[in-house]
Amino acid sequence: LDYCSRSRITTSIVIRMPSFSTPFSATLVAGLLGAASAFEASVVASTRAGRSAVALRSPAARMATLAPPSAEMPSLDGALPDCPKTIWNADNMDIAAEQAKLRQDGLPACPLEIIATPAENAEGAAYFARNAEKFREMLREHGTLWFKGFDLMKTEQGFRTFYDSIGLSPCLDPIHTSGLRAFASARDAVYEEVNKQSLAGHYIGLHNEATTKKTARFGAFVCFKPATVKGGEFLIADGHAIFRDMDTSILKRLYDEKVRISVSNLDFDIFSGLGPLKDGALNFAKDLVGSVIAPKFDMDLEMLYGTDGKPYRLQAIEGKQPPVNRHPETGRPLWFCNVHNHARYLRDRRPCTVPEVGMTDVFMGDLSKIDAETLDHINEVSEKNIARCAMKEGEVLLCDNYRVLHGRDIFEGDRYHAVSWFDGWKGDQPSTVTDGGKPGNFLNKVINTLIK
């Protein structure tokens, strides 16, 4: 989560509390309902619609031919399956032994650059179809492929032709309903990246595009226009390398005690002057967010006041999770945690333009604070392993979303980057999702009309 919007409530409403009945002033009601609406726009997850099911694309969508122009392909608007469930495999991990093995084995280059020759560029989609299996193996080894010098990916339609030609199977963004990204081209399953001017001065730290419940298998990030003045470099880091380089005692403590991520702040200081009505108002606000808003997001959030020391701040906090994982295909251990981006301590020490409601934080598993020394170490190791990618028009970074964390530096001018997410390769088993199919795009469209 890097941004959310506040909705403005203008109608006059009388609220009746479970514990007492009293008309609230328009200001209090607007603050409460506006905060609840802001929470809905800020939580990082996809909507939950119902029971478990297997999401199957139509045969036309899943079996699209490899290389026709996008205009001849069926529209994917409303046809994408949900993001697949996160694959957790972090139990019984010997941290010291796994680190030693990674140091001994070494790691290949990440990213691996694929630079087009004039002849390869002239082939267009046929080049990618012909080399699809080779690229799949390269991605498995290196974690990220950086395609350079290809004209095909300079448009949304050409970008779709690229990912279809190498056999990737698109799915919804893991945070589809958060409002962070609108579709750049819904028919081609292409989301706009974080290009908004309101966030140009916001540094996005390293993170996997994941929640405790949903994680895309792959992501393809494309540059349609680099920042016209300066900055906006795309950042990636190999999760294997971060795992390898972390201080063993720090990593083991985080692994043993786990972490919890807060995804939103709602401040209800307006209730501080209510005297005997204060507790009822705070409980009502908590119940409203917890029972009406939060169930729309598949995240198992716990609503808690005062976790960060502010008694009137309601935080939506995910359950315990390990900061590490094993790669779902290779089984190798990796750093799989968004603390570099989400920790309040780190955000407060770099460019940040997110409003308070969208501020995240990370706690130990028992909700105690993570000490500054630990966070400084995580920041140092993360930044040591960052590859800064100054992408040009038409360039694509194809990333293994389990293995590789990504971020973005601040920028000036106009910038147009986009991304598509994938649940795997065509012909692989379809995703098993927890919400009965597709969350839909209605809420995503509504939220994005509020963010400029």
Side-chain angles (χ1 to χ4, degrees):
L1 173 67
D2 291 298
Y3 188 76
C4 63
S5 62
R6 295 181 182 271
S7 298
R8 183 170 298 169
I9 309 298
T10 57
T11 51
S12 176
I13 305 173
V14 174
I15 300 293
R16 298 207 176 272
M17 295 295 206
S19 56
F20 56 89
S21 296
T22 182
F24 278 79
S25 71
T27 301
L28 294 182
V29 173
L32 174 59
L33 296 183
S37 298
F39 169 81
E40 183 170 357
S42 70
V43 176
V44 186
S46 299
T47 35
R48 171 181 250 162
R51 58 186 175 82
S52 297
V54 175
L56 292 171
R57 283 184 193 78
S58 66
R62 186 169 279 277
M63 300 303 293
T65 54
L66 288 180
S70 177
E72 299 177 10
M73 298 181 185
S75 174
L76 297 175
D77 190 6
L80 293 175
D82 198 5
C83 180
K85 292 191 293 186
T86 302
I87 302 170
W88 286 105
N89 181 18
D91 293 340
N92 303 314
M93 191 177 290
D94 186 331
I95 299 296
E98 296 285 12
Q99 286 183 310
K101 190 172 189 308
L102 281 172
R103 294 180 186 121
Q104 178 180 345
D105 293 347
L107 291 171
C110 178
L112 177 68
E113 297 185 6
I114 310 293
I115 302 174
T117 66
E120 290 167 343
N121 183 40
E123 282 190 71
Y127 168 78
F128 295 103
R130 179 167 55 82
N131 291 284
E133 189 59 35
K134 180 174 72 173
F135 291 145
R136 181 170 180 168
E137 290 303 313
M138 287 179 173
L139 184 61
R140 184 177 186 271
E141 180 179 359
H142 294 272
T144 298
L145 303 182
W146 188 353
F147 294 94
K148 295 182 171 184
F150 294 95
D151 292 328
L152 178 65
M153 294 89 86
K154 290 184 177 181
T155 66
E156 294 90 344
Q157 295 75 23
F159 176 58
R160 177 180 175 182
T161 300
F162 153 77
Y163 75 65
D164 188 75
S165 296
I166 60 175
L168 285 163
S169 170
C171 66
L172 287 176
D173 188 315
I175 54 174
H176 181 72
T177 61
S178 72
L180 178 59
R181 281 187 290 271
F183 274 116
S185 174
R187 77 172 314 279
D188 297 309
V190 180
Y191 287 88
E192 186 173 354
E193 255 290 350
V194 187
N195 304 309
K196 295 178 174 65
Q197 285 300 306
S198 59
L199 292 173
H202 174 65
Y203 178 94
I204 302 175
L206 294 176
H207 60 286
N208 305 92
E209 209 72 10
T211 70
T212 56
K213 286 197 167 185
K214 294 180 181 179
T215 301
R217 186 65 184 82
F218 306 105
F221 301 87
V222 59
C223 173
F224 294 128
K225 181 169 74 173
T228 53
V229 179
K230 65 177 182 178
E233 292 88 354
F234 201 76
L235 314 175
I236 65 167
D238 190 338
H240 291 318
I242 295 176
F243 181 100
R244 176 197 64 195
D245 295 343
M246 286 274 287
D247 177 87
T248 302
S249 62
I250 290 177
L251 185 56
K252 188 175 188 309
R253 178 166 57 87
L254 292 171
Y255 173 72
D256 289 340
E257 299 182 26
K258 297 184 172 56
V259 299
R260 295 187 68 177
I261 295 177
S262 170
V263 300
S264 184
N265 292 338
L266 296 176
D267 290 325
F268 292 107
D269 299 82
I270 55 173
F271 294 152
S272 61
L274 290 180
L277 305 181
K278 178 182 65 177
D279 289 344
L282 290 171
N283 288 334
F284 176 75
K286 178 179 177 179
D287 291 343
L288 175 66
V289 175
S291 64
V292 178
I293 307 299
K296 295 183 180 182
F297 305 96
D298 193 10
M299 288 184 73
D300 286 342
L301 297 171
E302 184 178 7
M303 304 298 159
L304 295 171
Y305 283 109
T307 306
D308 66 351
K310 297 184 179 298
Y312 298 105
R313 174 167 291 167
L314 181 65
Q315 292 183 296
I317 303 177
E318 290 189 272
K320 290 183 181 181
Q321 62 187 86
V324 300
N325 203 355
R326 292 183 177 92
H327 190 274
E329 186 176 355
T330 67
R332 301 180 84 185
L334 43 78
W335 177 254
F336 189 71
C337 186
N338 293 344
V339 65
H340 185 257
N341 183 55
H342 285 18
R344 179 68 180 259
Y345 172 86
L346 296 179
R347 281 194 168 191
D348 286 345
R349 286 157 177 78
R350 59 194 182 208
C352 179
T353 60
V354 172
E356 188 58 53
V357 70
M359 287 299 286
T360 56
D361 208 348
V362 185
F363 302 95
M364 298 298 293
D366 62 359
L367 291 178
S368 61
K369 287 187 176 181
I370 301 178
D371 61 271
E373 182 181 358
T374 295
L375 291 171
D376 285 336
H377 177 68
I378 293 171
N379 186 62
E380 178 185 358
V381 173
S382 297
E383 295 194 356
K384 168 188 171 182
N385 286 290
I386 286 176
R388 298 177 60 87
C389 304
M391 299 173 69
K392 297 179 181 179
E393 182 186 6
E395 293 185 356
V396 172
L397 284 166
L398 177 57
C399 299
D400 181 325
N401 187 47
Y402 275 86
R403 174 173 168 180
V404 174
L405 300 90
H406 64 275
R408 189 221 66 199
D409 208 344
I410 61 175
F411 66 92
E412 294 180 15
D414 294 328
R415 177 183 185 269
Y416 183 23
H417 285 226
V419 60
S420 290
W421 299 105
F422 309 98
D423 57 13
W425 303 93
K426 292 180 185 179
D428 290 352
Q429 290 296 315
S431 306
T432 300
V433 300
T434 58
D435 64 4
K438 303 178 290 294
N441 195 37
F442 174 75
L443 184 57
N444 182 275
K445 290 179 179 178
V446 169
I447 291 171
N448 271 279
T449 65
L450 304 174
I451 305 174
K452 303 300 180 184

